[in-house]
Amino acid sequence: GTVATTLSFMKKIGVDMFVNLNIATGPNQQTTINNVASQLNTQYEKESMISIGSVHHLNPDSINELNRIKDLNIKGIKLHPDYQGFFIADKELYPIYDACSQLDIPIIFHSGWDCYSPDVIHAPPQQSATVAKKFPKLKMVLAHFGGLLMWEDVLEHVAGIENVYLDTAMLATYC
């Protein structure tokens, strides 16, 4: 789909706003993805779309890219542990989490089960809670109600943590 088609469809069904979630699935994609996100935000600033950015933990320039994201006025980043090849509580991600905390850049994480990696959960609720508690200033949005197909674990480990927000994407499909 295109942005124009999506905007048309959203207006037709009465949705006011959508967020375009970009993911740098390779270390060399982050700059291009963030340039395009910034361009889309400028092009559609009066429309009903926000395009967010991404960084890749294996890019040695990811912290500088986060500063550039802030300068570009991109409102957040998306990290997908399954597609980017990390576990949410891996210490190698801590510099990114710390920088996002300091720059007030929210992170939207895929969380819970994923069909791409059905036998390994890269962002289970317990590990997400560990990150949230270690970085209390980090605004975390845990997609799929905090952990796709892991609802009881979400209630036990994530519910009530002040810097954690949950989205409802894909819930109707799996409930």
Side-chain angles (χ1 to χ4, degrees):
T2 65
V3 173
T5 302
T6 303
L7 285 169
S8 175
F9 179 71
M10 300 304 256
K11 287 178 185 174
K12 184 182 205 178
I13 63 171
V15 174
D16 295 328
M17 173 78 61
F18 78 95
V19 180
N20 179 29
L21 302 175
N22 300 294
I23 304 167
T25 57
N28 296 326
Q29 294 177 334
Q30 66 183 26
T31 302
T32 301
I33 282 173
N34 297 322
N35 287 343
V36 171
S38 177
Q39 290 167 359
L40 288 172
N41 286 336
T42 300
Q43 183 178 355
Y44 292 98
E45 68 183 336
K46 301 207 185 322
E47 300 285 344
S48 303
M49 182 200 72
I50 297 171
S51 189
I52 68 166
S54 188
V55 295
H56 197 286
H57 67 287
L58 296 179
N59 186 312
D61 202 36
S62 61
I63 303 304
N64 288 332
E65 187 67 10
L66 287 169
N67 283 293
R68 195 172 80 88
I69 285 168
K70 187 70 172 182
D71 291 342
L72 291 170
N73 200 28
I74 295 173
K75 302 299 185 191
I77 65 169
K78 168 82 182 224
L79 298 179
H80 197 304
D82 296 273
Y83 299 169
Q84 293 179 302
F86 66 88
F87 289 89
I88 195 168
D90 283 350
K91 290 186 176 159
E92 70 181 296
L93 275 289
Y94 283 12
I96 290 172
Y97 300 159
D98 185 53
C100 286
S101 296
Q102 299 306 315
L103 294 167
D104 195 29
I105 296 174
I107 303 175
I108 300 171
F109 293 94
H110 167 80
S111 59
W113 181 84
D114 189 272
C115 63
Y116 178 79
S117 177
D119 298 324
V120 178
I121 308 297
H122 288 87
Q126 187 171 5
Q127 287 186 22
S128 299
T130 297
V131 171
K133 291 173 183 173
K134 175 116 179 107
F135 297 93
K137 290 179 14 181
L138 176 62
K139 293 177 186 157
M140 298 174 63
V141 178
L142 300 178
H144 319 305
F145 210 61
L148 188 60
L149 301 178
M150 303 183 80
W151 322 128
E152 295 300 321
D153 291 341
V154 171
L155 286 172
E156 181 179 344
H157 299 289
V158 175
I161 300 176
E162 285 190 31
N163 58 320
V164 174
Y165 303 84
L166 309 179
D167 86 358
T168 59
M170 295 179 60
L171 286 184
T173 304
Y174 290 98
C175 287

